[in-house]
Amino acid sequence: MFLKTTNSTNDCFPKILLLFLLVLAFNGIKAQEVHSVSLKEALKLAKENNKKILRSQLEVTLSEQNIKERKELRLPDVQLSGMYSRITNITEFKGNGFLNGKEVTKAIPELYEVNSAFKMPIYAGNKINNAIKIANQESEIAKIKTEKVENDVELEVVANYLAIYKMMELQKIFEENIKEEKSRLREVQSLRKHGAVTKNEVIRAELQLSDRELNALTNSKNIKIALHDLKTLIQLPENEEIAIDTAANLDEMNGLDPYDFYLNKALNNEEMRIASQELNISKTELKLVKGNYLPTVHFFGNYGFYYPNYKFFPPNPYLYTLGQVGVEAAFDLSSLYKNKTKMDQANTKIKWQEMQSEILKDEIQDRLFKEHTQYQEILEKFVVVDKALDLADENYRIVKLKYMNQLVLITEMVDADNALLQAKYNKVATRLDAILKHYELLRTAGMLPQS
């Protein structure tokens, strides 16, 4: 009986193991799901999911709620209060000496009071209106900052995407070159067997192949790191692999307009608009400080139920009501000598903000001029790198032919090979650099297309 049970268990074990392996395989397939994204799709996903953008949108919501809070300052303050207490009898000392002539008047021991009051501002030196105005200006800054964050993230996505694209193109060049190096190594080893070349040339060919394989390995790891960064930017799930769509069209350049065209746009970009709003806030804060010199006027009223009636003496044991309504005016005399420093501070802050705007304007002009010049330079490089690739390709063909005929050394072959690889990479990198620089130029000018 024992042996039968054991055999049954052994029969089930392979089935359980097979089921376990199938589950692992299924999870492995699911974990390796690859999401291929184009640049346009990456920008769309970042705008929808990036946490920096979502945080900036919450800041806009907070600023709008702040406006509502400031507007509620116009509403009346209403209070409802109640009180219950017990009191002692009233003791009077009517004699000439200390505590002489004691006379006690019996009091009603319990006191009840229910009272309501309201107070509504009529005029407060225009402070409430200015506070609402500042809240609106701060809300406008929050909206502009959201736009700025979106554009910053967009440029970050573009830079990351193009960097990956560039590394993937370099990886293709490395892989093609490795195939060529392996083929050359076999040829050199064959020549070595026939005594046509020295052992040093074989070693040099092996070193060249090893160097290319090492470069390809490092580049492939850098691609993985950059892809992970891109996945974080667009907030894809951690278990979802990502790849970029190299077949998609990246040529979004529309030529180069004159510098003044971009400058006129740049002077109204997000940074300049934020600086302008901050200057407006400083001016409104000055008006707020000036309000300290003005009186405040409130409309007020109260109404209550009281027991007993202590308006008379001795008190009457009756419930009574009493109401009051009127206008209250107040003026803080201390503001005449305490507010001067605040006024000076507000005026200094305006001057500081104006200077800050001028500094920012100069920085934007310098950055725009630099990017416009660099973009123009990259566009001019197109013809040069195309010609350089043709020359490097022809040079490689000639040197390779000479090398096969034992007319040049392996060092010249390696130099020609390196020059061709560099020329291939320069052609790809220059075009991708042009796209990135175009985005940077548009970003500074505040002209990034809305995805």
Side-chain angles (χ1 to χ4, degrees), residues 33-47:
E33 182 181 355
V34 179
H35 189 165
S36 179
V37 294
S38 64
L39 179 57
K40 186 176 181 180
E41 184 183 359
L43 293 173
K44 182 176 181 293
L45 288 171
K47 189 172 183 179

Side-chain angles (χ1 to χ4, degrees), residues 16 18 60 90 96 113 123 129 137 152 161 177 183-184 189 191 195 197 217 285 288 294 303 336 344 356 382 406:
I16 295 173
L18 180 61
V60 171
I90 300 171
N96 293 329
E113 179 180 328
Y123 177 74
N129 289 335
Q137 290 166 337
D152 288 341
Y161 194 96
N177 188 255
S183 176
R184 183 181 304 119
Q189 289 172 338
L191 291 173
V197 297
L217 178 62
E285 287 175 344
L288 202 61
L294 301 173
Y303 189 82
L336 296 175
D344 293 340
Q356 179 69 12
F382 284 0
Q406 299 297 299

Side-chain angles (χ1 to χ4, degrees), residues 283-377:
K283 292 178 179 179
T284 308
E285 287 175 344
L286 175 61
K287 296 178 181 179
L288 202 61
V289 174
K290 286 180 179 179
N292 294 331
Y293 288 123
L294 301 173
T296 59
V297 181
H298 291 83
F299 177 63
F300 75 95
N302 56 68
Y303 189 82
F305 292 84
Y306 309 91
Y307 173 85
N309 186 355
Y310 270 92
K311 297 292 183 181
F312 304 98
F313 190 82
N316 294 327
Y318 305 119
L319 175 70
Y320 75 98
T321 62
L322 181 66
Q324 185 181 14
V325 65
V327 177
E328 177 187 60
F331 180 74
D332 186 5
L333 293 175
S334 63
S335 63
L336 296 175
Y337 55 87
K338 285 185 176 181
N339 206 46
K340 185 177 182 303
T341 302
K342 293 180 181 179
M343 288 287 294
D344 293 340
Q345 287 176 330
N347 281 308
T348 303
K349 188 175 181 180
I350 290 175
K351 293 179 181 178
W352 183 92
Q353 197 62 56
E354 289 174 342
M355 186 59 66
Q356 179 69 12
S357 296
E358 291 299 319
I359 292 172
L360 180 62
K361 180 180 177 181
D362 291 341
E363 290 175 352
I364 290 174
Q365 286 177 327
D366 291 342
R367 187 163 72 242
L368 185 73
F369 182 81
K370 178 182 177 181
E371 289 170 353
H372 187 272
T373 304
Q374 288 175 337
Y375 183 47
Q376 189 173 26
E377 177 190 358

Side-chain angles (χ1 to χ4, degrees), residues 231-285:
K231 185 166 65 174
T232 301
L233 275 174
I234 63 180
Q235 289 297 300
L236 286 180
E238 188 65 27
N239 65 340
E240 186 172 338
E241 295 297 324
I242 185 175
I244 66 170
D245 185 5
T246 56
N249 184 20
L250 290 177
D251 188 12
E252 298 187 19
M253 297 176 291
N254 297 317
L256 181 65
D257 292 306
Y259 169 73
D260 290 340
F261 170 78
Y262 296 103
L263 179 60
N264 292 332
K265 300 288 186 179
L267 295 180
N268 195 39
N269 69 5
E270 302 94 340
E271 293 175 280
M272 290 300 297
R273 282 186 284 147
I274 290 173
S276 176
Q277 285 296 331
E278 288 175 343
L279 177 59
N280 291 336
I281 288 177
S282 297
K283 292 178 179 179
T284 308
E285 287 175 344

Side-chain angles (χ1 to χ4, degrees), residues 15 72 224 282:
K15 296 179 180 179
E72 288 172 357
K224 288 184 178 180
S282 297

